Amino acid sequence: MSDDLHELYQSIILDHNKRPRHYGALTEATHQAEGYNPLCGDKITVFLRIVNDRIEAIQFEAACCAICKSSASMMTEALFGQSVVEGESIRSGLSRILNSNTDSSPGLETAGELASLAGVRKFPARIKCATLPWHTYQAALRGEAKTVSE
Amino acid sequence: MTTSAIFDYTRVRADFPILSTEIRGKPLTYLDNGATSQKPAAVIEAIDRYYRAENSNIHRGVHYLSEKATDAYESARAKVAHFIGVADADEVIFVRGATEGINLVAHGFIETQLSEGDEILITHMEHHANIVPWQLAAEKTGAVLKVVPVNEAGELDVNAFSELLSERTKLVALVHVSNALGSINPAKALVAEAHKHDIPVLLDGCQSVPHMPVDVADLGCDFFVFSGHKVFGPTGIGVLWGKRQWLDQFPPYQSGGDMIERVDFDGTTFKGIPGKFEAGTPHIEGVIGLAAAIDYVNQLDRQGALAHEHALLVDATEKLSAIDGLRIIGTAQQKASILSFVMNEIHPHDIGTFLDADGVAVRAGHHCTQPLLKRFGVPATARASFAFYNNFEDVDRLVTAVTKMQRFFG
């Protein structure tokens, strides 16, 4: 198997795919949005409970590929308990990593588990899979019920 | 030398330059023929020759090259007519693809046939291209879209088909072979059933023409569409055939140059078919490439090719079925060489990426048939679709790659 493929589907991604964290609908959500990629049919719902600008709870449900599901699972772990402002800094940090080329990787060392998503950069057709949960999170924050990402 | 009844797929592979290339250091295993087919050298060379030595605009030119290009273009029309069993070549309209062909017919129906309460009958296994134009037609005219259900095997419910034909049905739009499941519909019988009630039938032949000889006169349908690029020709060119009695009634779909008889600021008179529906400079290169593709297909042993594809389908079905946790979607009795499958715990996109790493090209997604996949309770499938140039090694590489992937995810 190729190194690129190994990097894409490393064990941490497979683990989140198999045992997604914070999975399932959230009762008493203050925000929620459904994200959809019409090209591939990936679908995810992100639920948030935000109190005093803090993400007190974040959950998701999804029918999607391993990359999308593990990205969503890691997202919930990274954002849980954070302030909305801190959350935005985490989100934009990951966005910088995913949009960078594979030689330079700004912020990769400090990204924690999220750094494992960097392998997707070698598979341009799959980057949207990794970003869909985060776009959906943003849509939920903005109070949009649905977002479409392609 | 002995003649053999067995189709010589080894020889035909050599006709397709791309089949000897490598993908990520692995031999290309191209199993995405349902999306688009590969092109034989004869097609590539015809297009090359056209631009190197024959390029010119058609019709109205009086110089040598223009006459030559016009001849090539119009003789391609006759070739297409002959290829699908049409007697009157003027009934063959060149369009961008099956999608445009269906839209043209929908436009004609909106303008001349449909009114509030009329019904259009489609099926649950249509490609979006044979759903959305009819939805829009229904919205515009107040007509109602009716849908023939599909059974668990992926076969049309033919009893429901008959029951859904009503006094108000103005058209049946039906896929000949399902692009997502491979099911071959009993088109001839369904056309006959619709005709009992004088209801015209449009057949979407995108997936039938590449696999089997098609004779619209025998099928009896009223409209037939297919895309050039799925039948070993170039992209951007397709065919709408329709009976003259219908096409004559329809107003122009697009307007401009080349489709008029006379233009005056007081009014314009249009050409008859096919010119009426071919506004502007057409896709001459595409038509020439399509003609070369048809020549190529015509010299094949088509029954042999079909039997070979069927053998590949049987082999792949048997080997994939043996894999634990793999489910084949679409198990119709009559199937073209299209094989959709899903796997426990592995999403089709992950399947697609994994197989690609082994040089195996399959399609992963909804195949532009979202209502159909919803009916089977899956958002997407992985689809391997075989052409006559595929071989049993391709099947084995697919199966090996799937097995390897399953071990990885396991």
Side-chain angles (χ1 to χ4, degrees):
Chain A
M1 204 166 91
S2 77
D3 293 345
D4 289 348
L5 200 58
H6 258 304
E7 199 189 336
L8 179 63
Y9 290 97
Q10 45 191 288
S11 54
I12 185 162
I13 297 223
L14 295 178
D15 179 59
H16 277 273
N17 179 48
K18 224 170 195 172
R19 301 185 303 113
R21 326 294 201 260
H22 302 276
Y23 194 84
L26 179 65
T27 49
E28 297 173 21
T30 56
H31 299 66
Q32 77 178 67
E34 186 182 276
Y36 180 57
N37 182 342
L39 289 185
C40 60
D42 277 2
K43 201 184 258 185
I44 176 169
T45 308
V46 172
F47 305 88
L48 303 170
R49 187 161 69 241
I50 295 180
V51 179
N52 297 332
D53 283 335
R54 190 158 292 281
I55 304 165
E56 281 205 341
I58 175 169
Q59 303 253 133
F60 79 102
E61 282 184 331
C64 63
C65 66
I67 304 304
C68 182
K69 195 184 272 183
S70 58
S71 176
S73 175
M74 287 185 221
M75 174 180 83
T76 59
E77 289 210 308
L79 297 182
F80 184 84
Q82 304 284 358
S83 73
V84 171
V85 174
E86 287 160 343
E88 175 52 25
S89 130
I90 292 167
R91 189 205 62 78
S92 62
L94 177 70
S95 177
R96 264 198 303 283
I97 293 172
L98 294 183
N99 288 318
S100 65
N101 61 40
T102 48
D103 308 325
S104 74
S105 298
L108 202 56
E109 312 76 35
T110 54
E113 275 198 344
L114 292 175
S116 62
L117 290 168
V120 81
R121 292 174 300 177
K122 296 227 178 80
F123 298 82
R126 303 300 301 278
I127 288 178
K128 297 292 179 203
C129 306
T131 56
L132 182 63
W134 300 82
H135 288 151
T136 311
Y137 161 70
Q138 280 186 299
L141 271 188
R142 287 194 300 260
E144 295 164 9
K146 281 181 194 286
T147 184
V148 168
S149 193
E150 63 176 75
Chain B
M1 208 172 103
T2 56
T3 54
S4 167
I6 296 168
F7 180 70
D8 189 354
Y9 56 84
T10 317
R11 190 184 59 77
V12 297
R13 281 184 76 82
D15 297 333
F16 292 78
I18 207 169
L19 295 180
S20 55
T21 61
E22 290 193 339
I23 301 294
R24 305 185 196 283
K26 310 266 172 60
L28 168 64
T29 303
Y30 188 76
L31 302 178
D32 195 17
N33 295 286
T36 197
S37 60
Q38 296 302 346
K39 320 305 171 197
V43 168
I44 299 165
E45 283 159 13
I47 294 168
D48 184 79
R49 189 169 56 242
Y50 169 67
Y51 280 125
R52 284 180 190 280
E54 299 161 6
N55 174 55
S56 182
N57 209 334
I58 58 165
H59 301 152
R60 297 180 316 287
V62 290
H63 58 82
Y64 175 80
L65 283 181
S66 179
E67 282 174 4
K68 213 164 170 257
T70 304
D71 275 355
Y73 186 83
E74 292 304 332
S75 69
R77 195 187 306 280
K79 190 164 284 175
V80 168
H82 185 255
F83 181 58
I84 56 170
V86 169
D88 179 357
D90 286 346
E91 292 175 339
V92 169
I93 316 292
F94 287 122
V95 287
R96 279 186 298 157
T99 297
E100 188 175 53
I102 294 169
N103 275 274
L104 194 158
V105 176
H107 178 260
F109 267 74
I110 290 168
E111 296 295 323
T112 67
Q113 306 297 318
L114 294 171
S115 48
E116 193 161 352
D118 284 342
E119 293 170 5
I120 306 157
L121 186 58
I122 63 170
T123 83
H124 211 136
M125 68 168 85
E126 298 310 313
H127 187 281
H128 294 167
N130 207 21
I131 300 174
V132 184
W134 305 116
Q135 269 177 339
L136 293 180
E139 272 175 33
K140 277 201 177 120
T141 60
V144 180
L145 204 57
K146 298 271 180 177
V147 183
V148 182
V150 166
N151 70 16
E152 207 45 44
E155 294 161 330
L156 269 193
D157 182 339
V158 291
N159 293 327
F161 177 89
S162 303
E163 285 160 17
L164 282 163
L165 293 170
S166 85
E167 298 264 293
R168 298 302 305 264
T169 311
K170 284 286 156 60
L171 177 75
V172 173
L174 169 72
V175 68
H176 195 181
V177 171
S178 161
N179 71 307
L181 307 180
S183 320
I184 302 173
N185 285 319
K188 188 176 177 176
L190 298 175
V191 170
E193 183 67 20
H195 280 186
K196 275 189 205 161
H197 308 274
D198 293 325
I199 300 164
V201 180
L202 177 147
L203 277 186
D204 166 4
C206 281
Q207 301 292 341
S208 59
V209 173
H211 293 290
M212 58 190 75
V214 165
D215 183 339
V216 296
D218 180 56
L219 289 166
C221 56
D222 301 86
F223 303 95
F224 189 87
V225 296
F226 69 96
S227 293
H229 71 98
K230 293 194 201 286
V231 63
F232 320 106
T235 53
I237 189 70
V239 169
L240 160 67
W241 165 77
K243 285 182 180 162
R244 181 182 283 275
Q245 65 195 79
W246 289 105
L247 297 179
D248 277 346
Q249 289 181 60
F250 293 169
Y253 176 58
Q254 293 182 343
S255 54
D258 220 28
M259 52 80 73
I260 50 88
E261 262 171 13
R262 200 174 61 85
V263 175
D264 200 305
F265 286 119
D266 294 333
T268 294
T269 50
F270 304 116
K271 278 184 182 167
I273 59 167
K276 180 170 74 171
F277 294 115
E278 293 182 3
T281 295
H283 188 15
I284 306 167
E285 159 211 332
V287 167
I288 284 169
L290 176 60
I294 291 173
D295 282 340
Y296 180 82
V297 170
N298 279 338
Q299 55 83 45
L300 290 171
D301 162 14
R302 291 212 83 188
Q303 288 306 332
L306 184 58
H308 170 61
E309 289 178 4
H310 187 69
L312 293 174
L313 177 70
V314 169
D315 189 38
T317 303
E318 201 176 292
K319 287 174 176 159
L320 287 181
S321 301
I323 296 174
D324 251 2
L326 187 149
R327 175 160 75 106
I328 289 170
I329 308 284
T331 50
Q333 290 283 321
Q334 299 295 322
K335 261 185 88 165
S337 48
I338 293 171
L339 192 51
S340 251
F341 61 95
V342 292
M343 299 181 76
N344 287 348
E345 311 292 329
I346 312 177
H347 191 276
H349 285 157
D350 300 314
I351 299 176
T353 297
F354 260 82
L355 298 191
D356 178 59
D358 280 333
V360 180
V362 298
R363 190 136 293 245
H366 53 60
H367 318 302
C368 292
T369 55
Q370 286 181 333
L372 180 63
L373 294 196
K374 198 170 170 189
R375 187 245 169 270
F376 284 96
V378 293
T381 72
R383 181 188 71 183
S385 48
F386 300 87
F388 55 77
Y389 45 65
N390 287 119
N391 56 24
F392 294 96
E393 288 76 44
D394 290 334
V395 174
D396 288 340
R397 280 198 285 264
L398 167 69
V399 173
T400 304
V402 169
T403 312
K404 196 167 95 181
M405 167 181 64
Q406 198 179 37
R407 272 203 305 273
F408 180 82
F409 272 89

